[in-house]
Amino acid sequence: MLNFAVGPVMMGQSTLNIGLEQIPYFRTENFSAVMKQNERLFKSFLNAPENARAVFMTGSGTASMEAAVINTLTKNDRALIVNGGSFGARFCEICSVYEIPYTQINCDCGKTLTDAQLLPFENKGYTAFIVNLCETSTGVLYDLRLISDFCKRNGLLLIVDAVSAFLCDSLDMSKRQIDVVITGSQKALALAPGLSLMCFSQRAVDRILANEQKSFYFDLKKYLKDGERGQTPFTPAVGIILQLNNRFKEIEAKGGAAAEIAAARHKAEYFRAAIKDLPLEIFSDNPSNAVTSLTLNDKSKSAYKLFELLMNEYGIWLCPNGGDLKDKVFRVGHMGALNDADYDLLVDALKKGLRSEKIKK
């Protein structure tokens, strides 16, 4: 099996080896030391301020999307949400459920955010800005400099979902004055799904501590308090946390976040160069290093059927889309334990698959 999906992704052998081990009891000083090291390394890879705090939550990235929003925002806030795909829409749903006032900034699928779209919201009393840095459903990467400058001018709390962007695209928490960063275990960290990671600026921490939270599991006051001693309020995904520690130490030894981002960029550029003569077009205006979204030039053929063909006949997993994009767009990830030879195999399979009559709609 070769997995070019955008999560879960191909895991390295050292991660797989840890997965074979028995899971230890975790209310110990040894495990607390692992958790504290994870926090230190996570913050370093984000270039987070020294007083920033990290939280590790057992749950998917969506769990942290919800937790981050409902702990830092209240009904007294007014949020701006970039909605350019299914994950931007998810933030809108979360705010709707908790009756947090928000306004959508709608971006067409695959299109990036522009100055002109932000201009109507200058000095309009908004308090927070929420964005999926890489809108994973389309592969578009939003301009973080543009967003950060807008938030600085308007004094907005900046919440960044970097579930796909972390370790694939540039992400400097201090330079861009980001207040909340969210990511997950199953993307560039190349671990199993089930662990989400958050990092909070002091301003975000102050909001969490001041807000009255009605959730039991998602009350981040508990996580911040227990995190001081390297623990979590509830049973964590112990096995994944141990794999995370190993992965973080590997990343540090290989040159840190910059080296990981360079590796993802190489995979993306290598693949995009290899398919330039195929009857495919890149779907997004400004594609992330994490993922390439593609459309078929021949509109009589189905992207989803191409996904099925490569899975069933070649043992190669792409990443399909749903909804209106199901037959139009498929995605190729550039995360995890993949190399040039793996992409050569993928390109060869794509050449054959695109010629097949089996992918006709």
Side-chain angles (χ1 to χ4, degrees), residues 205-350:
V205 169
D206 290 343
R207 277 178 165 251
I208 293 167
L209 297 178
N211 289 347
E212 289 298 324
Q213 185 48 255
K214 299 299 184 183
S215 174
F216 182 75
Y217 191 82
F218 289 154
D219 184 352
L220 293 183
K221 292 185 186 68
K222 299 173 183 176
Y223 289 84
L224 292 171
K225 179 175 173 53
D226 279 23
E228 292 174 358
R229 61 188 181 94
Q231 288 290 331
T232 56
F234 313 108
T235 302
V238 176
I240 301 176
I241 286 172
L242 294 174
Q243 290 173 318
L244 174 68
N245 185 249
N246 175 73
R247 183 82 173 96
F248 271 170
K249 288 188 288 189
E250 284 182 345
I251 292 168
E252 183 183 43
K254 292 178 180 178
E260 286 293 305
I261 292 167
R265 183 185 305 114
H266 169 79
K267 292 173 193 174
E269 291 176 348
Y270 185 89
F271 172 70
R272 291 166 190 167
I275 61 167
K276 61 183 176 60
D277 294 326
L278 296 187
L280 298 168
E281 291 184 9
I282 294 177
F283 181 67
S284 300
D285 278 353
N286 183 40
S288 164
N289 293 326
V291 54
T292 303
S293 293
L294 295 162
T295 58
L296 283 62
N297 290 350
D298 186 344
K299 303 309 177 188
S300 71
K301 294 181 177 179
S302 163
Y304 191 82
K305 288 187 176 181
L306 178 63
F307 154 73
E308 290 184 315
L309 185 145
L310 264 65
M311 175 180 64
N312 294 329
E313 298 190 12
Y314 296 92
I316 291 176
W317 291 73
L318 304 176
C319 199
N321 271 68
D324 294 340
L325 297 180
K326 179 177 179 180
D327 286 319
K328 299 176 183 178
V329 177
F330 69 94
R331 294 166 290 167
V332 174
H334 310 302
M335 298 174 279
L338 293 166
N339 56 39
D340 292 357
D342 295 327
Y343 283 99
D344 291 341
L345 290 172
L346 170 60
V347 172
D348 185 61
L350 281 172

Side-chain angles (χ1 to χ4, degrees), residues 30-311:
N30 286 344
F31 189 77
S32 291
V34 167
M35 289 287 285
K36 284 183 172 292
Q37 185 176 44
N38 283 349
E39 179 171 27
R40 178 183 66 79
L41 291 172
F42 185 37
K43 287 171 56 176
S44 73
F45 299 151
L46 290 169
N47 191 30
E50 184 60 34
N51 61 356
R53 292 291 307 280
V55 166
F56 303 90
M57 176 176 284
T58 298
S60 69
T62 303
S64 281
M65 290 169 69
E66 181 170 347
V69 167
I70 67 176
N71 280 269
T72 61
L73 303 183
T74 72
K75 295 179 181 179
N76 295 322
D77 282 291
R78 293 179 64 209
L80 284 170
I81 301 175
V82 179
N83 185 355
S86 58
F87 293 99
R90 191 166 297 181
F91 271 127
C92 295
E93 291 182 64
I94 291 168
C95 286
S96 293
V97 168
Y98 291 95
E99 299 180 349
I100 297 169
Y102 71 92
T103 300
Q104 298 182 58
I105 304 176
N106 291 309
C107 292
D108 291 338
C109 282
K111 302 298 181 183
T112 193
L113 186 69
T114 65
D115 269 314
Q117 288 172 290
L118 292 177
L119 186 60
F121 303 104
E122 293 275 3
N123 301 310
K124 290 294 192 298
Y126 288 94
T127 60
F129 194 102
I130 306 174
V131 64
N132 313 86
L133 181 54
C134 167
E135 172 52 68
T136 316
S137 65
T138 66
V140 68
L141 180 71
Y142 295 120
D143 186 341
L144 188 54
R145 179 201 58 79
L146 175 75
I147 292 167
S148 174
D149 289 349
F150 174 82
C151 290
K152 291 174 190 176
R153 290 195 305 273
N154 289 274
L156 306 186
L157 189 85
L158 177 53
I159 299 173
V160 174
D161 166 2
V163 170
S164 292
F166 178 57
L167 298 178
C168 289
D169 301 297
S170 178
L171 183 63
D172 190 316
M173 198 169 172
S174 294
K175 182 177 181 180
R176 298 304 177 197
Q177 294 184 24
I178 302 169
D179 293 290
V180 182
V181 173
I182 303 161
T183 192
S185 56
Q186 77 278 19
K187 303 289 186 177
L189 286 169
L191 309 173
L195 186 70
S196 56
L197 298 75
M198 294 170 273
C199 193
F200 299 97
S201 71
Q202 186 61 55
R203 179 163 68 155
V205 169
D206 290 343
R207 277 178 165 251
I208 293 167
L209 297 178
N211 289 347
E212 289 298 324
Q213 185 48 255
K214 299 299 184 183
S215 174
F216 182 75
Y217 191 82
F218 289 154
D219 184 352
L220 293 183
K221 292 185 186 68
K222 299 173 183 176
Y223 289 84
L224 292 171
K225 179 175 173 53
D226 279 23
E228 292 174 358
R229 61 188 181 94
Q231 288 290 331
T232 56
F234 313 108
T235 302
V238 176
I240 301 176
I241 286 172
L242 294 174
Q243 290 173 318
L244 174 68
N245 185 249
N246 175 73
R247 183 82 173 96
F248 271 170
K249 288 188 288 189
E250 284 182 345
I251 292 168
E252 183 183 43
K254 292 178 180 178
E260 286 293 305
I261 292 167
R265 183 185 305 114
H266 169 79
K267 292 173 193 174
E269 291 176 348
Y270 185 89
F271 172 70
R272 291 166 190 167
I275 61 167
K276 61 183 176 60
D277 294 326
L278 296 187
L280 298 168
E281 291 184 9
I282 294 177
F283 181 67
S284 300
D285 278 353
N286 183 40
S288 164
N289 293 326
V291 54
T292 303
S293 293
L294 295 162
T295 58
L296 283 62
N297 290 350
D298 186 344
K299 303 309 177 188
S300 71
K301 294 181 177 179
S302 163
Y304 191 82
K305 288 187 176 181
L306 178 63
F307 154 73
E308 290 184 315
L309 185 145
L310 264 65
M311 175 180 64

